Amino acid sequence: EEFEPNTDISNVGEVHVGRDQVCVLTQDQEVRCKGRPYEGAQNRGAFGRLASVTMATKLVLAEELACAIYGEQRQVACWGQNDRGQLGDGTTEPARDPVNVRDLQNIADVFLEPASGTTACALNQMGEVFCWGQNEQGQLAAGNEQDQLVPVPFSLLRETRDVALTEATVCALDQ
């Protein structure tokens, strides 16, 4: 498939690429995406604005998952595949359009496991970490090895400044 330059976006601040999707965060704090967010989803032919994600300050993409921090309350919305609960909305249904991750506000940063995007974590402004999604090896420190469909506290750390994820590990760096 040949890539064709698209002229229906402007003020691009950041460009992010997933497996079959490209999203941009504009300088006007809008998120616009082209392509399909997960296998089997309807293709977005042009860079369409995701109307529910306003005042976006952060955008991250993995293979079949995308998340953004947005709004005055600094919530997280995600869209894409959801077979391991990686949307954090309490379901395992995929979503072409953004859905809110449950019970997250005042989020400073959001992190995705880069290879498959089956695990996600958010760092709030108080330094607390919450994670959701794949947990088959207990990597979310939830006390079990079941996938977490909604965010769970990752640790007792209260001054976390960074988080790193792999398919089987979540690490948090404290102050």
Side-chain angles (χ1 to χ4, degrees), residues 58 60 67-69 74-78 86-88 101-113 119-133 140 150-155 157-158 160-165 170-172:
K58 174 83 180 214
V60 291
C67 295
I69 299 173
R74 300 188 57 80
Q75 297 175 284
V76 177
C78 297
Q86 57 264 47
L87 294 181
V101 176
R102 276 204 200 158
D103 302 323
L104 290 183
Q105 292 184 10
N106 301 314
I107 300 302
D109 212 342
V110 64
F111 308 89
L112 303 179
E113 187 274 307
T119 304
C121 293
L123 172 64
N124 72 15
Q125 293 173 334
M126 298 190 49
E128 300 167 315
V129 177
F130 298 87
C131 299
W132 60 96
L140 302 185
V150 297
V152 295
F154 174 66
S155 72
L157 300 176
R158 293 287 182 243
T160 302
R161 61 181 176 166
D162 201 8
V163 176
L165 289 83
V170 176
C171 295

Side-chain angles (χ1 to χ4, degrees), residues 34-124:
K34 178 178 182 168
R36 59 182 183 181
Y38 60 93
E39 184 81 30
Q42 183 180 358
N43 188 34
R44 290 185 176 99
F47 277 100
R49 182 173 68 88
L50 303 182
S52 64
V53 180
T54 59
M55 298 172 43
T57 57
K58 174 83 180 214
L59 176 65
V60 291
L61 269 72
E63 184 170 328
E64 291 189 312
L65 179 66
C67 295
I69 299 173
Y70 77 99
E72 289 181 15
Q73 295 186 14
R74 300 188 57 80
Q75 297 175 284
V76 177
C78 297
W79 58 100
Q81 189 52 267
N82 196 30
D83 57 327
R84 305 303 295 264
Q86 57 264 47
L87 294 181
D89 66 343
T91 76
T92 55
E93 295 296 317
R96 182 175 181 261
D97 296 312
V99 296
N100 282 337
V101 176
R102 276 204 200 158
D103 302 323
L104 290 183
Q105 292 184 10
N106 301 314
I107 300 302
D109 212 342
V110 64
F111 308 89
L112 303 179
E113 187 274 307
S116 63
T118 56
T119 304
C121 293
L123 172 64
N124 72 15

